[in-house]
Amino acid sequence: MDRIGRTPMQFTAVLAAILLLLAACQSSASPTGSPGASASGEVVEIEWYVGLGTGENPEQIPTEEAVVAAFNESHDNIQIELTVVDNTDAQNTLNTRMPTDPPDIIGPIGIRALQSFGDQLLDLAPYIESSGVDLSAIDQALIDAYNVDGKQIGIPMAVYPQFIYYNKSLFDEAGLAYPPHEVGEQYEGQDWTWDTVRDLAMLLTVDANGNDATSAAFDPNSIAQWGLDAQFTEIDTRALSTIFGGSGSVVADDGTTAQWPDNWREGLQFYYDAVWTDHFAPTKAEAEAIGGGEDRNTFQSGLIAMDAVHQWYVCCIYPAEGDPAVTDWDIAVLPEGPDGTVTSKLHADTIGILDTTEHPEEAFEVLAYLSQQADLVQVWGAMPAIASQRDAFFAGLDERFAPLVIDWNVSSQMLGFPDNPSHEAFMPNFEEADSANKDFGALLWTTPGLDLQAEIDAHVETLQALFDEGS
């Protein structure tokens, strides 16, 4: 399995060539004309496979279909076939298809999925050079995230920083001030740290008799409202450790030794105590009870005061039908972690071309077209990787959520504090190690009374055995 490469020197030469072709970018990527079309005059069909990241929600598919239809109507020699697969099945389905019937284009695809398919993606650098796609407006760090062992396997399209969604009505009901919107801002005279969040979350956690979690009369067996959640993490312990502990890695610098950094131990202890000792974060059973079963959209229940989720949650913050339970919400910055830094774990998506495609030029023409469709980025709830497109993106969200006024400056700030290394980065024997991390998270979410630090030690041994198997 290839590891994400951080090879800025190698990429500099490619980027320099790209910049020279800046002026040609827009015309080459527009749906008019088809310079890469089949010389024989045959119609080339390019399959676009969606589901590995976002893009498979019912409310997103009509926009994707419209984008495909617009391309197909303006191209005689290239037609896009859209395939949308449920996210829970997309990776296994693609694995099954890879030997005999692979699609041409996959994505949006995140950093985690890159670990599974990154070494099977086409190097886009020659096609970027020949077509003139402009990357100068995209942060170099985002470009590097999709450079694998010297191959540019994607063009950053969408970024999703993490921040805190909060239910203003629950704060108002408790008579509490809203959480900070600026990095470095204090909360009621206290530094904005996870300890401060804990104190606040305890006050916002209420049992059926109206006692908050700081009260001696509080009954943890009849909780009616919780102060904090971090929904949609897939209960991945790397993600949970990053949220509450800051950046880290299960892989030591030698690339083969398993580890669990001290700040991750502290962060995971915070999460475990939040669920089982302080009771301000829901257990698995509680999350499923209020969040629509396995969907666990807990914030939409109206019973979660604060929720650490990514930018992409705006896609689904309101239910598809009916009256929303959360009618007044806003977003706040993440606090300082035990490592003394603010960390917003980052998700980022791109679209890639599998190197098995029989029509790389036509596939790249489709990719270039898709990568510039603002409607796609908007419906995916993604902040554009191109900074100049962000004002329009947030204006669209303002229109969507009016009359609420959401402080999107919070999202922009959080983009400046990405986790590095990524919580989705390379591990030896990636699939097995990834599964083990989620199994460990499920254990913590469902089992009270554990000696967490001893469990972490045992998990590190498990990871080491998996790393050794994969070497």
Side-chain angles (χ1 to χ4, degrees), residues 14 52 123 306 314 376:
V14 175
L52 295 167
D123 184 2
M306 297 179 285
V314 297
L376 288 178

Side-chain angles (χ1 to χ4, degrees), residues 434-449:
D434 190 53
S435 179
N437 283 325
K438 292 173 181 173
D439 289 345
F440 184 38
L443 173 70
L444 305 186
W445 206 18
T446 57
T447 312

Side-chain angles (χ1 to χ4, degrees), residues 164 171 176-180 185-204 227-228 270 280 306 335-336:
I164 293 175
F171 276 78
L176 294 168
Y178 300 144
E185 180 183 346
Q186 290 190 324
Y187 181 79
E188 299 292 87
Q190 300 295 316
D191 290 338
W192 187 234
T193 65
W194 280 113
D195 287 339
T196 305
V197 172
R198 173 189 178 277
D199 294 343
L200 182 57
M202 296 280 281
L203 293 170
L204 289 161
L228 180 69
F270 178 96
F280 61 78
M306 297 179 285
E336 181 182 299

